[in-house]
Amino acid sequence: MAEMHVALLRGINVGGRNKIAMKDLRRTFEDAGFESVSTYIQSGNVLFSSDADPARLESNIEHVLATRLDLPVVVVVRSHALLRQIVAQAPPGFGADPDKYYSDVVFLKHPLTSDTAMGAVGLREGVDRAWPGQGVLYFQRLGARRTQSRLSTIVGKPEYRRMTIRNWATTSRLLALLDGQSG
């Protein structure tokens, strides 16, 4: 039986790179045989239905995007059930005070683990906090001192190639959209 998933494409429509219209992205997913395809905002979030294994979905989608759109990007796929679990297992109060903290979910592509990713992420005391989760890191920065955050230092590390980041509002909204499509 087909299950709803979200594909998180890394680096889509960011800084003028990897530009793609969401209608073209939707059409590419549909042409590849995925069903119930929709997108959310311009940053490469695709909701779709499939009965394939998520690990196989990632490599399949990466191949489709590279061959059909000449878009070689990292793709992280999470099932509806797993995204629900990720949101439910966030640290207490995570994302609850967006005026004070910037809260992000760092989605990790297998085989990168949260323990390895925690070791690669630098934390600035009094600014950054991070917690490991199932296939994610929960990362929070003090808004008033966000320019001092060490989150941006991860970009130069090899582990970063197996990550994609979504803010808490986007992560929560993606779950709500999946909930709406599954109901």
Side-chain angles (χ1 to χ4, degrees):
M1 183 170 154
E3 181 179 11
M4 291 301 300
H5 295 81
V6 62
L8 306 168
L9 286 60
R10 190 176 125 216
I12 296 296
N13 296 333
V14 175
R17 293 187 353 217
N18 294 328
K19 294 185 89 169
I20 182 152
M22 292 302 100
K23 66 179 176 132
D24 295 335
L25 189 55
R26 271 191 307 277
R27 187 175 325 110
T28 300
F29 268 68
E30 290 167 348
D31 290 348
F34 299 112
E35 297 178 0
S36 304
V37 179
S38 63
T39 59
Y40 177 67
I41 63 177
Q42 298 293 313
S43 59
N45 305 296
V46 183
L47 296 95
F48 64 96
S49 177
S50 176
D51 57 4
D53 174 57
R56 293 182 65 210
L57 286 171
E58 290 174 347
S59 60
N60 182 22
I61 293 167
E62 287 174 347
H63 176 76
V64 166
L65 294 173
T67 56
R68 295 185 187 183
L69 297 175
D70 194 29
L71 198 62
V73 296
V74 170
V75 176
V76 176
V77 173
R78 294 295 184 259
S79 69
H80 182 189
L82 185 52
L83 188 62
R84 183 182 298 116
Q85 192 173 10
I86 288 166
V87 169
Q89 292 178 350
F94 187 82
D97 193 356
D99 292 332
K100 186 172 182 179
Y101 296 103
Y102 285 65
S103 301
D104 296 304
V105 180
V106 181
F107 289 88
L108 310 175
K109 183 175 175 71
H110 183 77
L112 183 60
T113 66
S114 57
D115 289 340
T116 301
M118 281 293 290
V121 172
L123 301 178
R124 183 174 301 270
E125 190 171 331
V127 178
D128 299 322
R129 297 187 331 181
W131 302 264
Q134 184 177 357
V136 298
L137 293 183
Y138 302 96
F139 196 95
Q140 198 166 58
R141 299 167 281 154
L142 186 61
R145 295 179 59 195
R146 71 185 173 279
T147 59
Q148 299 170 6
S149 173
R150 291 202 177 135
L151 180 61
S152 62
T153 63
I154 192 72
V155 174
K157 298 185 180 179
E159 292 87 352
Y160 181 68
R161 287 176 261 170
R162 302 193 73 78
M163 299 176 176
T164 188
I165 302 171
R166 298 298 185 276
N167 67 43
W168 184 247
T170 296
T171 302
S172 299
R173 182 66 183 142
L174 289 169
L175 177 59
L177 290 169
L178 287 171
D179 286 345
Q181 288 189 5
S182 294

